[in-house]
Amino acid sequence: MNVMESQAPVSTLPIYHRSIDWDAFYRRYPVPDVFEKTRWRWSADQIRAFQNEQFLDLMKVGWENGFYRRRWSAAGIEPGDIKSIDDIAKLPTFDSDDIKKDQEANPPFGLINGDVRERLKTEPTKVQTSGGTTGKPRPTMYGPIDWEMNGLTMARVQYICGLRPGDIIQIPHTCSLGNAGWCCYKAAHDYLGALPLTTGTGVVTSSRRQIEIAREWGTNVWYVRPEYSTQLAKVARDELNFDLRELKTKFLGCGLGPDTDGAFAKQIEDLWGCPVYDMYGTHEIGMGSFECQAKSGMHFMEDCTFFEIVDTETEKPLPDGTIGNMVCTILFRRSMPVIRFNLRDLTKIVATDRCSCGSCFRRMQKMLGRSDTMVRIRGVSIWPQACLPAIKSDARTTGEWLCVAERKVRDGVVRDEMTVKVEVRNDAPGWDGLQEHVVRRLHSDLGITLGVELVPEDALMEWSNRGREGKPKRILDKRYDKT
Ligand SMILES: [Zn+2]
């Protein structure tokens, strides 16, 4: 008898790789290449039937969760009221404020995350939060299936976009409490035979070093924040006298935000000489929607998530083609169930038919911005992120902007005004006509005349967060300041 076969004690530890029935898991949620040939091509009816089956299982989990049980009971819902996914709109929605309140009342993780310490005895658990630098982070717990799906859904998206075994993907996101870096690392490493270069943000690995690594090691795919991709191009040009197009990159995966006319994507594509595919997700929902290579809207990841678009005021579901808030139900999540989560991100459904890529997974328009950062100026609703196409419409800008709302009093008359500060590139040939152009374009996009102030490159660095964790801040509302 050799040493290996001697009587070893049986482990009672919650070992991750024994916590999932892998064959059953991959039958339920196929790996990228199998997915692309099968599930991705299902008809709308097949998708709906599969969503319904998962939803009914999820409802049982919801009723056992203190957060949902209280909310649903308070709304007068009883377990028998929800007979299929067609009844989903009977359930109340919730948003990030409700999670915050739950976690304040039931610290530290809230009823929504269940008894984390108890569950840890039998189930490996990972926690992620929003990547933002302001406010208290909201923890989201991931059990083994939840965590694995985080990587698997990203892997499917990267595969659809063209990532293949042998590729080298650079990931300038820090693997921290933020989710993006982890998802992409798992996708490349665990599922796609691609080498993940987890370089972290520009704070961890300088932009110059990021580019040197890419050149020396042969990076040919990037998963990167869009603002940072433009910063990398600038550093390559100014500090290394290097044109990023020489990297011969296959594609960039980016969360582009409200790039509704594609100008931002076009700018990055010109700098890098390759396609940019838009991807949308949050730590609460994981990978939500994404562009395929046909780039004709963003497909929802329909076989594991159910999306609705609802009215921003009444929260009633809206017909396709109408702009509203995105509401999301994650059909597989168990540690922190997500059932009718209102993301307060605005979009609309643009296509329900089969895409030229072969998929019937419905498509949404690119994000229009967050409804809760909306400001009303003289009766007009403005989403600061909706300024993006105007800012990008002139190549002399750096693409960075900040909306400043102020309350002015003249002769006793109160008037709210908004000025959009726009960064101009140092190497711009001149500022002639730029300010007037942006004013005109903003008026045509938003239906209101806003002030435009041109500022030098990097003047908005404090808000734009380039190369750091956290999304850029686009609005400074000074109207209610005491000072
Ligand atoms: Zn498609």
Side-chain angles (χ1 to χ4, degrees):
M1 188 190 278
N2 68 31
V3 177
M4 295 292 285
E5 286 165 355
S6 63
Q7 291 203 335
V10 175
S11 172
T12 58
L13 293 172
I15 306 293
Y16 180 76
H17 289 281
R18 290 181 183 164
S19 63
I20 291 176
D21 175 346
W22 294 94
D23 288 340
F25 174 62
Y26 291 138
R27 272 197 303 278
R28 199 159 176 79
Y29 300 109
V31 297
D33 55 342
V34 177
F35 167 79
E36 198 274 334
K37 292 190 187 78
T38 56
R39 189 72 57 86
W40 181 235
R41 289 158 197 281
W42 271 5
S43 70
D45 288 346
Q46 281 175 299
I47 295 165
R48 184 85 177 184
F50 186 60
Q51 286 173 332
N52 187 53
E53 179 192 318
Q54 296 175 89
F55 174 68
L56 293 176
D57 281 348
L58 176 66
M59 283 304 294
K60 292 177 206 150
V61 178
W63 279 112
E64 285 163 12
N65 181 290
F67 175 81
Y68 290 101
R69 193 168 55 241
R70 283 187 191 182
R71 295 181 70 80
W72 295 349
S73 299
I77 313 267
E78 288 179 18
D81 292 345
I82 308 296
K83 294 184 178 62
S84 81
I85 203 160
D86 297 337
D87 296 324
I88 194 168
K90 291 180 185 171
L91 297 169
T93 63
F94 70 104
D95 62 20
S96 54
D97 282 340
D98 296 311
I99 301 178
K100 258 184 231 160
K101 281 180 206 149
D102 173 41
Q103 293 179 337
E104 274 162 19
N106 306 281
F109 304 126
L111 294 178
I112 194 166
N113 276 305
D115 189 339
V116 176
R117 282 176 183 274
E118 189 55 35
R119 203 167 53 223
L120 276 167
K121 294 172 187 165
T122 56
E123 195 174 277
T125 298
K126 182 89 175 73
V127 59
Q128 301 301 132
T129 71
S130 49
T133 47
T134 55
K136 215 173 158 187
R138 298 182 305 278
T140 298
M141 297 296 157
Y142 295 73
I145 297 266
D146 309 332
W147 184 240
E148 204 52 38
M149 285 297 278
N150 226 14
L152 177 55
T153 49
M154 172 66 88
R156 289 166 160 196
V157 170
Q158 296 284 356
Y159 185 85
I160 300 274
C161 292
L163 189 65
R164 291 293 181 274
D167 285 335
I168 298 183
I169 179 168
Q170 195 153 332
I171 308 169
H173 288 268
T174 302
C175 290
S176 59
L177 286 173
N179 214 8
W182 291 100
C183 289
C184 196
Y185 154 72
K186 270 187 79 66
H189 177 266
D190 296 3
Y191 287 101
L192 292 168
L195 185 65
L197 305 186
T198 48
T199 47
T201 62
V203 175
V204 179
T205 304
S206 72
S207 300
R208 191 188 171 110
R209 187 73 196 119
Q210 299 263 6
I211 296 157
E212 287 167 355
I213 288 173
R215 292 176 76 177
E216 288 162 19
W217 297 3
T219 301
N220 67 336
V221 175
W222 292 70
Y223 178 65
V224 57
R225 283 191 198 283
E227 295 83 6
Y228 191 51
S229 76
T230 62
Q231 172 83 355
L232 286 170
K234 178 175 178 285
V235 171
R237 189 181 59 230
D238 296 352
E239 296 182 25
L240 299 165
N241 194 25
F242 177 68
D243 185 337
L244 281 185
R245 286 173 293 191
E246 289 175 38
L247 288 176
K248 305 252 180 293
T249 305
K250 207 190 246 189
F251 71 89
L252 259 62
C254 289
L256 284 168
D259 180 35
T260 45
D261 67 353
F264 196 7
K266 172 81 173 47
Q267 183 198 354
I268 301 170
E269 288 177 345
D270 288 346
L271 288 170
W272 287 73
C274 68
V276 173
Y277 299 118
D278 198 357
M279 300 172 185
Y280 169 84
T282 75
H283 69 108
E284 274 112 352
I285 72 163
M287 177 55 75
S289 65
F290 56 98
E291 278 185 314
C292 66
Q293 293 186 32
K295 282 162 106 42
S296 55
M298 300 180 73
H299 289 281
F300 293 126
M301 190 57 88
E302 297 253 51
D303 70 331
C304 42
T305 312
F306 185 75
F307 289 93
E308 303 165 80
I309 308 293
V310 306
D311 188 278
T312 52
E313 302 291 327
T314 66
E315 307 213 322
K316 295 257 183 310
L318 293 168
D320 292 346
T322 313
I323 292 172
N325 276 328
M326 196 183 337
V327 167
C328 185
T329 298
I330 311 289
L331 299 165
F332 61 84
R333 281 280 178 85
R334 294 295 181 264
S335 283
M336 188 186 108
V338 175
I339 306 171
R340 298 205 85 214
F341 179 53
N342 189 338
L343 286 143
R344 303 216 176 276
D345 271 339
L346 293 158
T347 187
K348 64 180 178 185
I349 307 264
V350 289
T352 54
D353 57 342
R354 199 175 285 278
C355 175
S356 63
C357 73
S359 181
C360 287
F361 283 25
R362 290 176 303 161
R363 281 164 280 159
M364 64 171 221
Q365 189 188 43
K366 285 167 184 281
M367 299 307 310
L368 287 166
R370 290 189 59 74
S371 58
D372 58 5
T373 59
M374 181 189 85
V375 281
R376 283 180 80 79
I377 298 287
R378 305 195 294 275
V380 178
S381 302
I382 297 171
W383 294 284
Q385 289 171 305
C387 297
L388 186 139
I391 308 304
K392 293 281 177 192
S393 67
D394 192 304
R396 286 176 289 177
T397 77
T398 65
E400 296 296 339
W401 79 99
L402 178 72
C403 298
V404 182
E406 286 170 292
R407 177 151 289 179
K408 302 225 164 122
V409 184
R410 278 196 201 104
D411 300 330
V413 178
V414 176
R415 183 179 157 94
D416 285 349
E417 289 180 357
M418 187 185 274
T419 304
V420 185
K421 291 178 186 256
V422 181
E423 268 190 16
V424 185
R425 294 161 58 113
N426 285 339
D427 60 0
W431 293 22
D432 284 358
L434 176 56
Q435 195 245 5
E436 296 81 356
H437 162 78
V438 180
V439 169
R440 267 198 313 276
R441 176 67 196 258
L442 284 171
H443 183 265
S444 123
D445 286 0
L446 308 176
I448 182 171
T449 300
L450 302 177
V452 170
E453 183 192 336
L454 302 179
V455 297
E457 183 163 329
D458 292 341
L460 302 175
M461 197 63 119
E462 183 185 341
W463 293 276
S464 60
N465 254 335
R466 268 199 307 271
R468 301 202 296 263
E469 281 297 312
K471 290 179 181 149
K473 187 173 160 79
R474 299 299 185 197
I475 175 77
L476 192 60
D477 198 341
K478 296 168 140 184
R479 288 178 295 175
Y480 310 107
D481 286 357
K482 297 274 189 297
T483 48

